[in-house]
Amino acid sequence: MSIKTTLVRTLAPLAAMAALPATLAAPAYAAAESATTTARPQVRSAAAEGSYNILISHRALFVADFCLLSTTSGNRRAACSGNKALGTDFRLGVVYKPGDRVWIDVNVVSGRDTKGIDLRGNRMCRVDSTAVNLNVHCWKNFAQYESGVPGERVYG
């Protein structure tokens, strides 16, 4: 396999994330929103009050179902991803009221689940693993993630 092919395969998930709408960065863009752009009104409506939206970059060596929950949603209205494999980037959204606690549950297929990972207001998370531990690092928005700033490690 050539170096070019390897780089394309390695960077493809990042390119896919860059193409996603800036829904997760909406709070950061709110003050700088301009009437001359057409993308900003769509972002504003996608991140409307009453919803909490996140982007998950799945880089762990297992297949898992990720569920986003909030105090308002409870277990009955969790937003779940369905089984996702290594290299998958996806969004989840759940009903939300200001002051709610928001968390994700990672349900590993044929493995140990991790429940109640508190997001602490973060909107972009990368999930990876070692042979023993599940690691979840999160950022407030996609722009912080892209900047290279180390993410906050969150726990269940």
Side-chain angles (χ1 to χ4, degrees):
M1 185 179 323
S2 73
I3 293 173
K4 182 178 179 181
T5 304
T6 303
L7 282 174
V8 168
R9 287 185 181 173
T10 303
L11 297 176
L14 293 176
M17 285 189 331
L20 291 173
T23 303
L24 303 174
Y29 289 116
E33 186 170 328
S34 168
T36 61
T37 62
T38 58
R40 296 295 178 238
Q42 293 169 348
V43 169
R44 175 177 263 168
S45 65
E49 185 174 327
S51 66
Y52 194 96
N53 301 298
I54 66 168
L55 175 66
I56 296 177
S57 178
H58 180 31
R59 297 295 176 264
L61 299 175
F62 53 74
V63 174
D65 177 31
F66 296 82
C67 293
L68 176 66
L69 302 99
S70 70
T71 308
T72 299
S73 73
N75 286 333
R76 285 183 240 178
R77 294 191 292 172
C80 295
S81 65
N83 290 343
K84 298 291 184 186
L86 167 69
T88 308
D89 300 318
F90 57 94
R91 294 181 296 165
L92 292 172
V94 69
V95 295
Y96 170 83
K97 291 181 183 171
D100 275 2
R101 178 177 169 259
V102 181
W103 68 97
I104 57 172
D105 291 343
V106 181
N107 306 306
V108 179
V109 175
S110 300
R112 191 180 110 216
D113 296 345
T114 303
K115 305 288 186 180
I117 300 170
D118 192 347
L119 295 180
R120 301 179 194 153
N122 292 302
R123 304 284 182 141
M124 167 65 208
C125 296
R126 185 185 65 233
V127 178
D128 58 33
S129 66
T130 63
V132 178
N133 294 323
L134 171 75
N135 299 310
V136 180
H137 291 88
C138 295
W139 295 260
K140 294 296 179 194
N141 56 49
F142 188 70
Q144 280 186 351
Y145 174 76
E146 283 186 316
S147 73
V149 173
E152 172 185 10
R153 179 135 189 235
V154 295
Y155 301 90

